[in-house]
């Protein structure tokens, strides 16, 4: 019996890994010589747990890393100093099937495949996919006489002005949380390069600049929106529940949140008696649209496995993403479909016609053009925290945006320097640098 030790990130969603365990049981029935041992590891601790297991010579064959921890996966080392993980693309080696299981990597949606293509090869197999979306109270926008759902920052300004004139200005134009994902999304939309080696995508980044033009364009727009009274800050960073309550309570007309929120936003709108529209996140209309932030997880394959274990692990990653299984993962969990055939299957069965708000994440991901710029950085959770604190100070303390983000850049550079010193060729070891967030 060949045992595949597979570690999956655990998130605070009900029954998150039940579907994965069901798929593992089905795989075992189809491949009776294999057993898949599914282990749940809290998503923020998974890189640390894998690094510790690797140092003891007992790493998992597969591990699902959150997209923001991609640099951690690339940098984690085996005891002999070699990279712990090998490229899924190279391990597949052009095969169209493995153990009789069809290979589906060529079916991946372009945005997912592009993000995980590093060093000229598909580094990991995407499993879960998400992005940021715009949720609009169209009942409120119509009452205010706004010209449709905003598509650009300028459109948001105009819609917010219209909402401010409604009923004595009791509602604000827009809300979202201070969270690293929104900086990432705005930079990706504009194709912003703010760290060395093309944001760490062409090799480890050792320099960073949080005052790059794309970042400051976003920060300045956000600041103007707030100073004009159109942006609602609830008083706490990452207050997702607070912005949800403000939106469903009709205190804001527009909210930015994750694509995973679509189901709950639709329920909230129905319960509170207003019409909801889900659209792509408004972008900077002054520059070409480049791409989106991508969240979710991908499965990384350990290097040095014996052939039977390696091929069983690869076959399992492909089995998880058959059209039927990828579509089921979307229906159960809300992840944007990872493959194009899964999107087509959901379209053909009428799923998106019945649930149109679930289709928008895929539509936004399809807007990507050119090479992705979403960053792959060491100590990224802490770097994003530096940017978040800077934005909080701009919004609440009147800090000058350029000066405050210049300070954040110095903090981020120190974090990046410390990460590389901690790595020192043997892989990141400290729990601090292996922490994952946003």
């Amino acid at each position: 019996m060949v045992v595949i030790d597979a570690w999956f990130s655990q998130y605070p969603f009900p029954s998150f890994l039940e579907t994965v365990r069901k798929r593992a049981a089905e795989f075992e029935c189809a491949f009776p010589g294999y057993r898949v041992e599914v282990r749940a590891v809290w998503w923020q601790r998974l890189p640390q747990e894998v690094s510790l297991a690797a140092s003891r010579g007992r790493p998992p064959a597969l591990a699902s890393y959150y997209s923001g921890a991609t640099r951690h996966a690339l940098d984690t080392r085996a005891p002999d100093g070699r990279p712990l993980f090998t490229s899924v693309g190279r391990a597949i080696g052009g095969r169209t099937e493995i153990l009789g299981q069809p290979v589906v990597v060529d079916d991946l949606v372009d945005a997912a495949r592009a993000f995980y293509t590093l060093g000229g090869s598909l580094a990991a197999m995407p499993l879960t996919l998400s992005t940021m979306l715009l949720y609009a109270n169209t009942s409120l926008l119509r009452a205010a006489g706004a010209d449709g759902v905003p598509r650009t920052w300028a459109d948001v300004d105009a819609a917010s002005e219209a909402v401010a004139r409604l009923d004595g200005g009791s509602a604000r134009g827009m809300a979202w949380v201070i969270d690293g994902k929104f900086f990432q999304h705005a930079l990706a939309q504009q194709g912003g390069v703010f760290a060395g080696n093309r944001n760490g995508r062409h090799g480890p980044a050792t320099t960073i600049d949080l005052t790059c033009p794309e970042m400051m364009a976003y920060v300045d727009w956000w600041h103007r929106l707030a100073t004009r009274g159109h942006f609602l800050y609830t008083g706490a960073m990452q207050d997702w529940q607070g912005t949800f309550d403000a939106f469903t309570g009709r205190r804001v007309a527009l909210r930015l949140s994750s694509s995973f929120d679509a189901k709950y936003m639709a329920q909230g709108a129905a319960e509170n008696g207003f019409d909801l529209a889900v659209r792509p996140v408004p972008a900077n209309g002054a520059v070409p649209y480049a791409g989106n932030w991508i969240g979710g997880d991908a499965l990384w394959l350990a290097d040095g496995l014996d052939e039977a274990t390696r091929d069983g692990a690869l076959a399992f990653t492909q089995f998880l993403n058959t059209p039927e299984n990828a579509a089921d993962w979307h229906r159960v969990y809300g992840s944007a479909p990872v493959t194009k055939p899964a999107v087509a299957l959901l379209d053909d069965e009428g799923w998106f016609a019945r649930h149109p708000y679930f289709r928008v994440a895929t539509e936004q991901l399809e807007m990507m053009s050119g090479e992705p710029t979403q960053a792959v950085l060491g100590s990224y959770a802490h770097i994003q925290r530096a940017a978040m604190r800077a934005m909080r100070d701009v919004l609440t303390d009147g800090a000058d945006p350029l000066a405050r983000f210049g300070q954040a850049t110095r903090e981020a550079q120190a974090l990046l320097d410390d990460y590389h010193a901690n790595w020192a060729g043997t892989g990141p070891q400290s729990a601090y640098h292996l922490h994952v967030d946003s």
Side-chain angles (χ1 to χ4, degrees):
M1 179 67 68
V2 178
V3 177
I4 301 168
D5 194 14
W7 294 11
F8 286 82
S9 289
Q10 176 67 56
Y11 293 95
F13 301 109
S15 306
F16 175 70
L17 288 180
E18 280 187 9
T19 300
V20 169
R21 291 192 172 95
K22 179 181 177 182
R23 294 287 97 84
E26 293 168 351
F27 182 82
E28 291 170 351
C29 289
F31 298 88
Y34 285 89
R35 185 171 79 248
V36 181
E37 294 284 356
V38 174
R39 177 182 170 186
V41 182
W42 187 247
W43 67 284
Q44 291 178 303
R45 286 186 55 84
L46 184 134
Q48 182 184 351
E49 295 290 336
V50 171
S51 182
L52 179 62
S55 71
R56 296 171 175 171
R58 298 193 300 272
L62 292 170
S64 72
Y65 279 66
Y66 175 65
S67 63
T70 297
R71 188 80 253 166
H72 296 157
L74 290 167
D75 289 345
T76 297
R77 293 295 187 261
D80 62 3
R82 293 180 299 106
L84 178 64
F85 297 110
T86 188
S87 157
V88 165
R90 283 192 288 271
I92 290 172
R95 289 179 284 178
T96 58
E97 64 177 41
I98 299 172
L99 304 179
Q101 181 66 42
V103 171
V104 298
V105 293
D106 289 342
D107 294 335
L108 290 169
V109 298
D110 293 342
R113 185 182 181 92
F115 174 73
Y116 287 106
T117 296
L118 300 162
S121 180
L122 185 69
M125 185 66 191
L127 172 67
T128 300
L129 189 59
S130 68
T131 189
M132 291 291 117
L133 294 176
L134 172 67
Y135 299 92
N137 179 336
T138 52
S139 298
L140 188 55
L141 291 176
R142 283 195 302 270
D147 186 19
V149 178
R151 298 184 61 85
T152 67
W153 295 350
D155 293 342
V156 172
D157 295 342
S160 297
E161 292 285 353
V163 170
R165 293 190 295 267
L166 184 66
D167 297 333
S170 60
R172 303 282 187 94
M174 198 167 196
W176 67 91
V177 300
I178 299 177
D179 184 278
K181 292 184 282 291
F182 293 107
F183 295 108
Q184 292 186 61
H185 196 98
L187 287 165
Q189 284 180 321
Q190 301 172 83
V193 176
F194 65 98
N197 270 329
R198 195 167 174 82
N199 291 341
R201 300 192 62 83
H202 292 178
T206 58
T207 60
I208 191 165
D209 180 11
L210 297 179
T211 66
C212 70
E214 295 82 6
M215 177 70 91
M216 295 317 302
Y218 178 59
V219 169
D220 288 342
W221 170 67
W222 189 349
H223 184 216
R224 287 195 306 273
L225 200 66
T227 57
R228 292 170 183 170
H230 300 320
F231 175 78
L232 174 67
Y233 177 51
T234 65
M237 297 194 298
Q238 295 182 302
D239 184 12
W240 298 94
Q241 186 63 47
T243 60
F244 177 85
D245 292 342
F247 183 79
T248 55
R250 301 173 181 247
R251 289 186 284 127
V252 293
L254 305 166
R255 180 185 183 235
L256 299 181
S257 190
S258 169
S259 56
F260 282 125
D261 229 358
K263 174 183 176 181
Y264 306 105
M265 292 292 277
Q267 290 174 346
E271 290 169 0
N272 288 277
F274 62 84
D275 295 332
L276 175 74
V278 184
R279 297 287 187 274
V281 173
N284 182 357
V287 298
Y289 193 95
N292 319 269
W293 169 79
I294 286 179
D297 295 78
L299 287 160
W300 292 75
L301 176 72
D303 196 13
L305 299 173
D306 63 83
E307 182 178 342
T309 305
R310 180 201 65 197
D311 283 358
L314 284 171
F316 182 55
T317 67
Q318 305 308 294
F319 179 77
L320 287 171
N321 283 298
T322 65
E324 296 79 9
N325 288 342
D328 186 55
W329 184 241
H330 164 79
R331 286 189 294 263
V332 171
Y333 179 49
S335 166
V338 168
T339 68
K340 296 174 185 176
V343 175
L345 188 156
L346 291 161
D347 263 332
D348 291 344
E349 72 180 23
W351 172 262
F352 288 133
R354 297 190 299 274
H355 308 281
Y357 46 86
F358 278 146
R359 186 68 167 79
V360 184
T362 295
E363 292 170 353
Q364 179 170 273
L365 292 170
E366 290 169 347
M367 294 166 60
M368 184 195 78
S369 62
E371 182 185 358
T373 58
Q374 185 175 340
V376 177
L377 300 179
S379 208
Y380 205 6
H382 303 296
I383 289 170
Q384 290 184 102
R385 281 279 171 182
M388 289 163 59
R389 290 191 296 270
M391 195 69 225
R392 177 198 60 198
D393 292 348
V394 168
L395 294 177
T396 63
D397 297 341
D400 175 75
L402 184 59
R404 185 62 185 84
F405 274 79
Q407 178 185 337
T409 293
R410 293 187 289 275
E411 296 172 22
Q413 186 63 60
L415 288 163
L416 201 55
D417 292 344
D418 193 46
Y419 174 85
H420 287 292
N422 174 261
W423 176 28
T426 60
Q429 298 296 323
S430 74
Y432 180 80
H433 284 299
L434 286 169
H435 177 70
V436 181
D437 202 353
S438 292

